[in-house]
């Protein structure tokens, strides 16, 4: 009686403690799931990884797609990140950086950036069994499109949008010099396209109403600042002459005149050409036979006090190494009088005095007339005719003549002679431009676009100037035809001599001269335009025919003979945008599978495994229960009813059978349990199954992921994610095996109790199962070590569990490992092989455009379920003998003693069990007793398990798509500056 009471108290205590523990576990799971659901920003996956072979940075998708980019690439830590996704699909970035610019920038990086070039060289474009339908050229174009999308994402994160860009090249170089990122745009993100209809609408509107999106000056200035920052970074990073010329072509592809960095393009072209003026020509000078009165606008009209000056445009290349050209103007006297300057107007003139310009040897006398003011002084002298032959004196031709102004007439008898004084004046000879000489050709100029040279005009026209008449319009033409033009430039970089001036027709256009250039660009996704191709410059105010608008204050560059970029409304799903010459932008960027996960990510993977295993195994607990009862055969009443039911059905089918031959099947046992004990009896030991499934699921899936990635990193390095074939399968086998051993160790106590609980005829709570098991083991130890004094063990309570009670809970470790190890290894290996085969088969179909991924989307989840079901069948078959032995050794049933030795054999010794089973009728097939029920169970369990596992990973944002890293192109560019 006391013993019964003690056992009852023990069961009560164990039930209370176990129930409390189970409630805590459920509360923990619910809390974790709730937090992960309501706070997705906390669980965004990712840990940036640098590829050891290429140096490229792969950043978490949560940072790259809408997060403003990575702190590593930016060099400045962002204090906060937005919720939601930054749209690049036709969004604000496309209004700043067009498809043509993005694709050509991608080509540029793949040619000149060491990291990008190394990444491209690492790509495998060979044709194998999985890519027989796609040619190598198409593979390259698809891969290029993905790289272009990575470039676009980088532009959106660092050079446009709410995060601005590098505040300066120094900030980009040092990373920490800028206190905060500079803003470069503030677009309305609600205007981004979200559907096909939005795409169609935008395309239509762009054709009907060709207006720039950036109509607001403030927005345009911020967007342009992002472009300037990008230009500064690329200019500082790529310094070869070839790179500079390609950068000039690249930024000439920005068609919007308000956004194009024209001055910067000039600067980099000046650096690339480093041109110098080697020859000039002066045109428009007065020629023989021309009217001398036009001299003031034909290179003449200068005096010794007002000589012509030359103003030269500074070289566009910036820096102390570049100097402007220097010129010297030589003049000559024309022997004409330019003007007469009055030094003293005299006094007392009552009438206009005579003015004479006197010098020996004059060919034609100068005619001049004085002008008096009201006070009787000479105010001015007007030269009516400059004469000719002045200035020659003693072999000189620059001696001014003498100017005589008749004195005023003094009245007779006047005593104030000072009131009548003659005027004094001097003559200035006219000088004209003879030539302009090059003193220093300068450097840093664009060879095709020489500097502008201006000559200063005379301060004023001579009195004798006469405006010429245009004989076509018969209108006055006061234009100044005198010009100094550069006719030849020489490049210091390559020594090439260029004849100028340039016109669109005379521009050396490699595209129009060689049609194969465009063909090569179309066929080769990384080909570039020839570096000899010079963008054509339109001066400020000039018309840009392709755009139908005028160039802005700095002018405009464009690449002639390039076909116009057209909007493509319908594209394959793998492409987001397309340029007919430079290629496409992909719908997805370059990604790789993350190898080094965070603790949070491994926790969520384990949680996903635990949830899916608990749901599936608890729901399918009836099948496991029936399998166990068929294996133990200790529930005689139930099996008898099941046999009777089976026999009756056989007789109804007019088939002969005997009671000896009648065997109860899975369905028979299920119906017998429902009819005799009710539907709830099918969920006997569901509580223990819940605990065991939690451990198996969380440890099994979580540890497998951990070891798989860890082994890949150890044995294959950073590029292990590209590993295929035998290496990948071996890694999976080792990871699954190690995870299985650790999982079996952790789950051994729960699994023993689960099997033992199913061995009871009547359902028992977990507390009773645990107390019975521990008391039984104590009795065995007492019989063995206390010489049969069983009464030494008194009442059992949970609080007095000793260390001797722990080891029996793990006694089933080896049988569990023997069952779970082959099961887990075969399960994961079969799943991987079947899923890979199905993915390859589906993606190889010509109708498939978007590649299918395991566990992603409806098709991916279906593949997970089918592959899991097949893996369950394979695992069940391989591990069934071990499962049968574990079931028999873990139950309360003892194996019948051998009649010859008269001893009782303990069920914990599995070797006699195996020998006994094999020795019975049926032989080795007896080891597969209950296989149909177990196969059915695991066909459903593993299929649903992998389906729910992938589904849960999607919810917790640790799916294969979430655990991918996006190529962060601009990290390697910034690193190259250091």
């Amino acid at each position: 009686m006391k013993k019964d009471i003690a056992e009852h108290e023990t069961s009560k205590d164990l039930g209370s403690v176990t129930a409390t523990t189970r409630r805590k576990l459920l509360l923990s799971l619910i809390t974790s799931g709730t937090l992960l659901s309501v706070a997705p920003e906390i669980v965004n996956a990712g840990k940036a990884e640098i590829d050891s072979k290429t140096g490229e940075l792969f950043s978490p998708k949560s940072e790259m797609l809408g997060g403003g980019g990575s702190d590593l690439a930016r060099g400045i830590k962002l204090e906060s990140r937005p919720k939601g996704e930054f749209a690049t699909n036709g969004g604000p970035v496309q209004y700043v950086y067009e498809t043509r610019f993005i694709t050509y920038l991608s080509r540029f990086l793949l040619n000149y950036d060491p990291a990008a070039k190394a990444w491209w060289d690492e790509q495998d474009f060979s044709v194998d069994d999985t890519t027989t339908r796609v040619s190598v050229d198409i593979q390259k174009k698809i891969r290029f499109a993905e790289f272009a999308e990575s470039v676009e994402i980088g532009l959106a994160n660092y050079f446009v949008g709410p995060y601005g860009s590098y505040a300066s090249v120094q900030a980009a170089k040092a990373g920490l010099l800028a206190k905060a990122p500079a803003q470069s745009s503030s677009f309305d993100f609600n205007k981004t396209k979200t559907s096909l209809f939005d795409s169609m609408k935008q395309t239509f509107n762009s054709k009907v109403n060709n207006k720039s999106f950036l109509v607001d000056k403030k927005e345009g200035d911020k967007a342009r600042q992002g472009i300037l920052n990008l230009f500064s970074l690329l200019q500082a990073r790529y310094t070869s002459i070839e790179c500079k010329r390609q950068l000039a072509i690249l930024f000439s592809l920005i068609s919007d005149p308000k956004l194009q960095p024209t001055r910067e393009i000039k600067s980099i072209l000046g650096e690339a050409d480093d041109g110098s003026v080697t020859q000039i020509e002066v045109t428009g000078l007065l020629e023989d036979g021309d009217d001398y009165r036009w001299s003031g606008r034909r290179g003449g009209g200068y005096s010794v006090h007002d000589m012509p000056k030359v103003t030269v445009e500074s070289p566009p290349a910036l820096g102390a190494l570049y100097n402007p050209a220097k010129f010297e103007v030589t003049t000559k006297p024309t022997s004409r009088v330019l003007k007469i300057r009055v030094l003293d107007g005299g006094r007392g003139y009552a009438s206009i005095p005579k003015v004479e310009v006197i010098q020996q040897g004059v060919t034609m006398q100068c005619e001049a007339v004085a002008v008096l003011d009201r006070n009787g002084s000479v105010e001015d002298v007007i030269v009516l005719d400059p004469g000719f032959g002045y200035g020659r004196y003693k072999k000189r031709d620059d001696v001014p003549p003498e100017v005589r102004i008749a004195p005023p007439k003094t009245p007779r008898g006047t005593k104030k002679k000072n009131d009548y004084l003659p005027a004094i004046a001097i003559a200035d000879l006219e000088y004209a431009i003879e030539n302009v000489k090059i003193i220093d050709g300068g450097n840093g100029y664009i060879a095709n676009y020489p500097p502008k040279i201006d000559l200063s005009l005379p301060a004023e026209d001579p009195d004798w100037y006469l405006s010429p008449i245009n004989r076509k319009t018969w209108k006055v033409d006061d234009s100044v035809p005198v010009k100094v033009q550069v006719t030849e430039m020489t490049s210091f970089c390559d020594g090439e001599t260029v004849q100028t001036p340039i016109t669109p027709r005379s521009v050396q256009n490699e595209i129009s001269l060689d049609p194969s250039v465009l063909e090569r660009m179309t066929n080769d996704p990384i080909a570039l335009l020839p570096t000899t191709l010079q963008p054509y410059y339109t001066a400020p105010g000039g018309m840009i025919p392709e755009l139908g608008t005028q160039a802005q204050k700095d002018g405009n560059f464009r690449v002639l003979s390039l076909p116009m970029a057209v909007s493509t409304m319908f594209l394959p799903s793998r492409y987001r945008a397309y340029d007919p010459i430079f290629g496409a932008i992909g719908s997805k960027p370059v990604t790789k599978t993350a190898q080094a996960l965070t603790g949070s990510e491994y926790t969520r993977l384990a949680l996903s495994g635990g949830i899916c295993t608990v749901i599936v195994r608890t729901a399918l607990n009836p099948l496991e229960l029936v399998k166990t009862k068929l294996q133990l055969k200790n529930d005689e009443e139930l099996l008898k009813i099941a046999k009777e039911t089976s026999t009756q059905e056989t007789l109804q089918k007019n088939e002969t059978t005997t009671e000896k031959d009648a065997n109860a099947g899975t369905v028979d046992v299920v119906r017998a349990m429902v009819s005799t004990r009710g539907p709830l009896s099918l969920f006997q030991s569901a509580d223990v199954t819940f605990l065991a499934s939690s451990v198996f699921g969380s440890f099994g899936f979580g540890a497998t992921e951990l070891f798989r990635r860890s082994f890949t990193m150890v044995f294959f390095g950073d590029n292990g994610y590209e590993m295929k074939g035998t290496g990948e399968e071996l890694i999976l086998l080792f990871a699954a095996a190690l995870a299985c051993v650790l999982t079996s160790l952790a789950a051994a106590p729960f699994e023993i109790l689960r099997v033992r609980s199913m061995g009871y005829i009547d359902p028992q709570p977990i507390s009773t199962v645990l107390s019975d098991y521990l008391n039984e083991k104590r009795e065995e130890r007492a019989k063995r070590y206390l010489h049969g004094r069983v009464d030494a063990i008194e009442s059992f309570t949970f609080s007095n569990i000793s260390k001797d009670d722990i080891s029996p809970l793990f006694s089933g470790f080896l049988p569990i490992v023997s069952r779970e190890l082959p099961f887990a290894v075969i399960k994961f290996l079969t799943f991987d092989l079947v899923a890979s085969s199905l993915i390859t088969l589906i993606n190889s179909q010509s109708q498939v455009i978007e590649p299918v991924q395991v566990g992603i989307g409806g098709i991916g989840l279906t593949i997970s379920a089918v592959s899991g079901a097949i893996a369950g069948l394979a695992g069940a078959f391989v591990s069934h003998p071990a499962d049968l032995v574990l079931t028999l050794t873990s139950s309360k049933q003892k194996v019948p003693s051998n009649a010859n030795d008269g001893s009782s054999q303990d069920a914990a010794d599995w070797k006699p069990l195996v020998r006994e089973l094999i020795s019975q009728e049926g032989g080795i097939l007896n080891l597969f007793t209950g296989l149909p029920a177990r196969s059915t169970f695991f066909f459903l369990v593993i299929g649903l398990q992998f389906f729910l596992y992938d589904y849960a990973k999607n919810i917790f944002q640790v799916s294969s798509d979430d655990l991918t890293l996006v190529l962060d192109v601009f990290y390697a560019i910034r690193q190259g500056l250091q």
Side-chain angles (χ1 to χ4, degrees), residues 44-65:
N44 282 334
K47 186 177 181 182
E49 298 177 10
I50 299 178
D51 187 90
S52 60
K53 289 187 177 181
T54 65
E56 290 282 19
L57 175 70
F58 286 82
S59 298
K61 181 182 291 187
S62 58
E63 293 183 358
M64 296 303 295
L65 302 184

Side-chain angles (χ1 to χ4, degrees), residues 187-201:
F187 296 103
D188 183 3
F189 292 95
N190 296 323
K191 296 182 180 180
T192 59
K193 295 189 296 181
T194 57
S195 66
L196 172 63
F197 298 101
D198 293 330
S199 177
M200 297 172 61
K201 179 180 178 181

Side-chain angles (χ1 to χ4, degrees), residues 147-170:
F147 182 82
E149 174 61 4
S150 295
V151 172
E152 182 181 34
I153 290 173
L155 292 173
N157 284 326
Y158 306 120
F159 300 102
V160 74
Y163 299 102
S165 57
Y166 300 117
S168 63
V169 175
Q170 290 78 11

Side-chain angles (χ1 to χ4, degrees), residues 760-817:
Y760 283 90
I761 295 176
D762 296 322
Q764 299 293 332
I766 186 175
S767 58
T768 302
V769 178
L770 178 59
S771 63
D772 287 350
Y773 180 76
L774 292 181
N775 277 312
E776 180 181 324
K777 294 302 178 182
R778 285 190 175 187
E779 291 177 1
E780 292 177 0
R781 291 198 303 273
K783 291 179 181 180
R784 186 177 305 165
Y785 301 110
L786 301 178
H787 307 289
R789 291 185 298 170
V790 181
D791 55 348
I793 297 180
E794 298 180 355
S795 60
F796 167 79
T797 59
F798 189 79
S799 60
N800 65 6
I801 294 179
S802 64
K803 62 180 181 180
D804 294 332
D805 295 325
I806 302 299
S807 58
L809 292 175
F810 292 90
S811 60
F813 170 66
L814 290 179
I816 291 175
V817 168

Side-chain angles (χ1 to χ4, degrees), residues 32-50:
S32 301
T34 303
L35 289 175
L36 291 172
S37 301
V38 301
E41 67 274 10
I42 301 177
V43 300
N44 282 334
K47 186 177 181 182
E49 298 177 10
I50 299 178

